[in-house]
Amino acid sequence: MPELTLGGLARVRCADSVKVNSTRQFDKVVRWLLDGDPAIRWQTLRDLVGARGSSIERERSKVAREEWGARLLARQDREGTWAGGQSSDGGLYSPKWTSTTYTMLLLRDLGLPPTNRQARRACALLLDRGFQRDGGINYWWRGRSETCITGMVLSILSYFQHEDERLETLADYLLREQMSDGGWNCRRPDGATHSSVHTTISVLEGLRLYELHRGRKARAVQAAQGRGREFLLLHRLFRSDRTGEIIKPIFLRFSFPPRWHYDILRALDYFQAVNAPSDERLGEAIEIVRRRQGEDGCWPLENNYKGRTYFRLERLGAPSRWNTLRALRVLKWWARQEKV
């Protein structure tokens, strides 16, 4: 744990962020988060504690050298991929979840510094070997892109500040693939007429990071994100827009890493990341997040997606630092929006 005293830092009062039993409990939860991996520590300092920039960056720099981040970087092969030789695509997208794409998504979420050389080497491979004639990314069918993969890879390339004019082409591809209801669906080429929340959240994350990194096509990218958020809002993040029924119960179970899957905590974390305005249609999802908090002030890991992994981040059913961190920053954002 870094040598910090919460009393010496700008602290969010628990009443301003989340229902907990006391400020003492909130402090205890924050200290528990600060006892975690560097990936958890630096984001806790930034999002919950209000630490100085130097303290945040000092902790963030440890992601590449310690624990989860270091362990993942150590598994990169000489060619610059992960799981190379274990699938027909050379480990670029499969096997799940040890491939280059999914490892890089996790390193993105850990907050590995964007200047990391190993990550940037992998960025070049993901783009060079996946770029298709129609302007997107795929690692199987030549000439035909896959929207989910394009959104995920654009988020990776943008986060790690990969400099290549083809990023504009990827953004253009995603803008063209937006459907009339405002979202995206990777099965559109096969006849899908309604957007998918899975595809939509991956594309929204990709466009957000593209906007931050490249700063081009700003008006079009922002407008597309606005329509994408409206698609999710029409569904109150998890309900059918026709019947009002829950689309899938698993959307209400919080997973980390989410991989390509959607859930309401992942969606809300995107809304807070773009500082979206308050909308009453988010209220039910926010209440679900609040109710999932345990008596100890933490949120558990409620679901894991089956597949190969290099190691387990957290234990299913146990208190989850990832879910707790994300839930607290979502609720902090929501409290601010309600005051506006």
Side-chain angles (χ1 to χ4, degrees):
M1 174 177 176
E3 295 182 0
L4 298 168
T5 58
L6 291 178
L9 297 169
R11 184 180 62 210
V12 180
R13 292 186 299 117
C14 61
D16 289 340
S17 60
V18 61
K19 180 187 71 177
V20 292
N21 294 330
S22 65
T23 301
R24 178 178 296 179
Q25 184 188 63
F26 178 78
D27 288 355
K28 183 177 180 180
V29 170
V30 171
R31 289 182 182 279
W32 175 67
L33 292 173
L34 292 172
D35 273 332
D37 187 271
I40 297 290
R41 291 203 299 265
W42 85 263
Q43 294 182 61
T44 299
L45 291 171
R46 181 192 64 183
D47 299 332
L48 302 179
V49 174
R52 294 190 304 270
S54 58
S55 298
I56 296 169
E57 290 307 314
R58 185 163 54 250
E59 289 304 314
R60 188 179 189 181
S61 69
K62 297 177 184 177
V63 172
R65 304 194 305 269
E66 300 177 10
E67 301 298 332
W68 295 333
R71 293 173 69 182
L72 289 173
L73 290 172
R75 302 301 293 266
Q76 188 179 33
D77 57 36
R78 291 182 179 179
E79 192 171 357
T81 59
W82 283 263
Q86 297 182 26
S87 63
S88 59
D89 67 5
L92 294 170
Y93 187 77
S94 58
K96 298 171 181 175
W97 310 109
T98 56
S99 68
T100 305
T101 296
Y102 285 103
T103 301
M104 288 286 282
L105 284 174
L106 183 51
L107 289 169
R108 177 204 69 183
D109 289 342
L110 296 181
L112 181 71
T115 56
N116 182 271
R117 291 182 179 180
Q118 287 181 250
R120 287 190 166 182
R121 185 181 180 198
C123 283
L125 294 172
L126 287 173
L127 182 57
D128 290 344
R129 298 183 183 180
F131 190 74
Q132 302 295 318
R133 291 191 301 271
D134 61 1
I137 295 287
N138 205 344
Y139 298 106
W140 299 294
W141 297 337
R142 303 308 301 177
R144 176 173 155 181
S145 298
E146 208 275 4
T147 308
C148 287
I149 296 176
T150 303
M152 288 189 282
V153 171
L154 180 62
S155 78
I156 292 167
L157 301 178
S158 299
Y159 174 83
F160 288 106
Q161 301 173 5
H162 186 66
E163 295 297 337
D164 193 300
E165 291 299 315
R166 286 175 291 178
L167 268 69
E168 275 66 71
T169 308
L170 300 184
D172 283 337
Y173 170 84
L174 293 175
L175 295 178
R176 290 196 309 271
E177 287 297 307
Q178 190 165 28
M179 300 178 71
S180 60
D181 58 13
W184 288 264
N185 193 327
C186 62
R187 295 183 179 178
R188 183 184 180 190
D190 300 320
T193 58
H194 190 275
S195 292
S196 158
V197 292
H198 298 295
T199 308
T200 297
I201 193 62
S202 289
V203 173
L204 285 173
E205 291 170 348
L207 290 177
R208 179 184 82 85
L209 290 169
Y210 169 81
E211 179 187 354
L212 289 175
H213 168 47
R214 303 293 283 188
R216 303 183 187 180
K217 311 179 193 299
R219 184 173 298 178
V221 169
Q222 290 168 5
Q225 288 184 79
R227 293 193 297 274
R229 289 194 296 271
E230 181 62 22
F231 167 75
L232 296 180
L233 288 168
L234 285 172
H235 293 79
R236 298 182 179 269
L237 300 194
F238 64 95
R239 293 192 179 276
S240 167
D241 60 335
R242 297 181 295 275
T243 68
E245 297 296 316
I246 295 173
I247 301 171
K248 289 185 178 181
I250 200 168
F251 292 170
L252 308 184
R253 296 168 61 188
F254 305 156
S255 308
F256 194 89
R259 314 302 186 181
W260 58 262
H261 301 85
Y262 174 92
D263 64 55
I264 63 170
L265 183 56
R266 181 180 178 185
L268 287 167
D269 205 21
Y270 163 79
F271 273 77
Q272 74 80 26
V274 298
N275 196 28
S278 177
D279 192 298
E280 63 179 8
R281 292 171 291 180
L282 293 172
E284 190 176 9
I286 290 290
E287 285 306 312
I288 291 170
V289 173
R290 285 184 174 137
R291 291 199 302 266
R292 295 295 173 82
Q293 186 183 24
E295 291 298 319
D296 59 359
C298 303
W299 280 258
L301 179 65
E302 297 179 321
N303 182 58
N304 263 334
Y305 293 104
K306 293 182 179 179
R308 302 180 189 179
T309 60
Y310 289 114
F311 52 87
R312 184 177 66 182
L313 296 180
E314 298 180 308
R315 184 164 57 86
L316 187 65
S320 162
R321 285 186 170 92
W322 277 117
N323 284 347
T324 299
L325 167 65
R326 294 186 299 149
L328 285 174
R329 69 187 176 199
V330 161
L331 294 173
K332 176 183 175 183
W333 159 75
W334 183 252
R336 289 197 311 266
Q337 295 302 317
E338 288 187 313
K339 291 179 179 180
V340 175

